[in-house]
Amino acid sequence: MANEVTVPLLPCASIDDIAAFYEVLGFRTTYKQRKPNPYVALQREDLNLHFFEIAGFDPEQSYGSCLVLTSDIEGLHRAFAAGMRAAYGKVLVSGTPRMTRPRARKNYDGLGGFSVIDPGGNWIRVVRHASSPAEPATAPEGRLARALANAVVQADSRGDVRQAVRILDGALTHPRADDDPVTQVEVLIYRAELAMVLHDPETATDMLARAERVVLGEDEIERAAPAFENAAELAAALR
């Protein structure tokens, strides 16, 4: 048989909080019940997510997760970010809920991906569909690039933010003359993002300031533009 559809069923502490959050991301409620058990079904185009409520559920202890395969990671991230800005005045980058930025994943053949961590603590992992066209993956070059790739795996894929911090702090503590300045900017800004996840605004502010002080050539400024866009989002979230 063909054309089967799989819909993830994920836990949460409140179906009302879940529905309100996903409405911000452009979903609509297609079904909701209170008895015999609280349950809500949500849909955004071809993307379906269903949730069930558990009394006393702790989102911080959730293991709920699912994959969303798409050929347009950047477009979906832009749409979610626009919804967050409209509802909250900023993109949520710390706490629960929050959203990471699209980044190449070393543990996914170098293809891009981002995650939404919803009010139930579920990780909705958006990754590029294997059948969709993509730039050939290249191995990161240089010690900073390797450290960044390893940190992304730990924090963005595994949720181990503290291990990612240890990796980046180790790389930043021992600078080298041949370090790529653009990669240095990317590492500093990602370190700022992780500091915000850990509710450490002082470190986040310091890392963003350090990134601003990195000397870049004209072509390097262009290469670093996406990282500085992220920095602007982080700075807005700090205010």
Side-chain angles (χ1 to χ4, degrees):
M1 298 181 66
N3 300 317
E4 292 89 349
V5 175
T6 299
V7 177
L9 226 62
L10 300 168
C12 66
S14 165
I15 59 171
D16 292 329
D17 290 348
I18 282 286
F21 173 71
Y22 279 99
E23 181 179 341
V24 166
L25 303 187
F27 286 74
R28 62 186 178 89
T29 299
T30 58
Y31 178 78
K32 190 176 186 180
Q33 69 175 36
R34 287 290 176 190
K35 296 180 179 180
N37 57 294
Y39 186 96
V40 65
L42 304 167
Q43 182 177 4
R44 185 187 190 279
E45 298 179 342
D46 293 330
L47 179 52
N48 291 273
L49 298 172
H50 291 197
F51 297 87
F52 59 96
E53 184 177 307
I54 301 176
F57 182 77
D58 181 4
E60 295 299 322
Q61 302 302 315
S62 177
Y63 286 89
S65 184
C66 75
L67 291 177
V68 175
L69 307 179
T70 178
S71 59
D72 188 10
I73 291 171
E74 294 76 12
L76 193 57
H77 185 272
R78 282 195 300 271
F80 287 175
M84 287 185 177
R85 290 190 195 98
Y88 311 122
K90 61 185 178 181
V91 176
L92 303 180
V93 296
S94 63
T96 302
R98 66 182 185 276
M99 181 171 68
T100 68
R101 288 182 64 84
R103 293 187 179 90
R105 303 287 179 85
K106 188 179 79 168
N107 58 335
Y108 196 65
D109 295 331
L111 299 178
F114 72 93
S115 296
V116 173
I117 298 88
D118 70 22
N122 302 294
W123 283 63
I124 312 303
R125 304 171 188 271
V126 181
V127 297
R128 190 176 300 281
H129 200 294
S131 63
S132 65
E135 291 294 324
T138 57
E141 296 182 2
R143 67 176 197 96
L144 285 180
R146 289 191 294 271
L148 180 59
N150 290 333
V152 168
V153 170
Q154 294 298 327
D156 286 14
S157 289
R158 297 178 180 169
D160 192 344
V161 176
R162 295 189 184 279
Q163 178 59 23
V165 164
R166 285 191 284 270
I167 292 170
L168 296 184
D169 284 351
L172 291 169
T173 302
H174 304 287
R176 295 181 185 174
D178 60 349
D179 286 339
D180 175 37
V182 174
T183 307
Q184 184 182 359
V185 167
E186 293 170 344
V187 168
L188 288 165
I189 292 172
Y190 187 45
R191 179 64 179 87
E193 182 177 326
L194 298 183
M196 293 177 68
V197 175
L198 294 175
H199 307 290
D200 183 2
E202 289 185 6
T203 297
T205 301
D206 177 59
M207 293 294 164
L208 292 177
R210 286 176 60 180
E212 288 285 350
R213 293 196 296 269
V214 175
V215 178
L216 301 173
E218 189 171 333
D219 63 321
E220 292 167 338
I221 292 173
E222 184 175 350
R223 286 171 51 211
F228 281 117
E229 288 177 10
N230 185 21
E233 295 278 10
L234 298 176
L238 280 168
R239 291 196 286 268

